[in-house]
Amino acid sequence: MTTVATPRTASPTGAPARPRTALDWRIRFGVLSLVWGFSFLLIKVGTDGYAPFQVTFGRLLFGTAVLVAAMAVKRERLPRGARTWGHLTVAALLLNALPFSLFAYSELTIPSTLAGICNATSPLWGMALSLVALSEDRPTRRRVAGLGIGFLGVLTVLGVWQGFHGLDATGTAMALLASLSYPVGWIYVRRTLAGTGASHLSMTGAQLLLATVQLAVVTPLFTSLPSRFPVVPLLAIVALGALGTGFAIFLQYGIVAEVGPTTAQMVTYFIPVIATAAGVAILGESLAWSTPVGAVIVLAGAALTQAKPRR
């Protein structure tokens, strides 16, 4: 569940790589995969007690708190300039407020396993969009083949030969739109925020802060104050924000700085596996044969779209 723009560039700000930490990056990579994989389960639990916009607002609020605390420890300031903040406002909508809300609404009617698999289509959408929007991303036979294979996998997950029987079309469409929103945001950031001079942590903290403000405005308009506050869903929202958003983004920031964005982006391929396992084992969600088979095809296609052309 990528929430910051890091495709093929370590940071839209061009910040210098930070030094290696004591904990090996592979361990941190595994932790990041687990945290983001379990995020879809936490969304499902959160929406059992609260409205989707409330889940998203709480997620962003606690995630922002973690990043603000990290910025305070590192003594980093928020970025400056009206132009930068204007572009960050759009990035916050495309990379956080919109996809987080869409996933929360989608899980009212679809299993968390399906939402996690839909999230894995982001590289496919990104490849398709970059062919049009980014002149430096030249199409290759391998990438085009990956695009076709990936969307064949999507059709397999959806059970197209059954006429999408038993599938909630609205919820699935919301999850796919959420996955599409990420690469749209990545492309926007690459075009507008490259070379700002601010650190990646500072830019991401500002981005989450703006997304929190956006949900603070929207949530009261479409939801009413809960009459009760069930504890388990509330704890799920706190974990989703503090761990699945704030801590995960900070962890991703360090991995990208140490081993580069291409390796760090591989986390996308582990998320649906963990989300599926968590949904089935903990929530007892049913799993048709077409779901894991289609997920494997999606991941194979996504991997091909990320393959670099031979020099």
Side-chain angles (χ1 to χ4, degrees), residues 160-210:
V160 64
W161 61 89
Q162 298 175 344
F164 308 111
H165 178 69
L167 188 70
D168 183 80
T170 302
T172 305
M174 285 184 176
L176 290 172
L177 283 174
S179 303
L180 171 61
S181 184
Y182 289 132
V184 172
W186 297 334
I187 292 173
Y188 180 83
V189 167
R190 288 177 65 178
R191 285 182 171 272
T192 61
L193 289 171
T196 61
S199 74
H200 185 82
L201 179 59
S202 174
M203 296 287 282
T204 305
Q207 179 184 308
L208 275 191
L209 177 61
L210 288 167

Side-chain angles (χ1 to χ4, degrees), residues 34 37-38 41 112-113 117 270-285 287:
L34 285 172
F38 270 87
L41 179 149
S112 65
T113 54
I117 292 171
F270 292 88
I271 292 174
V273 177
I274 297 169
T276 300
V280 172
I282 299 176
L283 297 180
E285 295 177 344
L287 192 67

Side-chain angles (χ1 to χ4, degrees), residues 59-82:
R59 174 183 187 175
L60 289 167
L61 181 65
F62 290 108
T64 301
V66 171
L67 288 188
V68 168
M71 290 176 61
V73 171
K74 291 179 171 292
R75 297 181 179 180
E76 293 199 19
R77 297 180 178 180
L78 291 171
R80 298 180 180 180

Side-chain angles (χ1 to χ4, degrees), residues 44 47 103-112 114 166-172 174:
K44 175 67 83 173
T47 54
F103 272 125
Y105 269 101
S106 74
E107 291 199 37
L108 291 177
T109 55
I110 67 172
S112 65
L114 180 56
L167 188 70
D168 183 80
T170 302
T172 305
M174 285 184 176

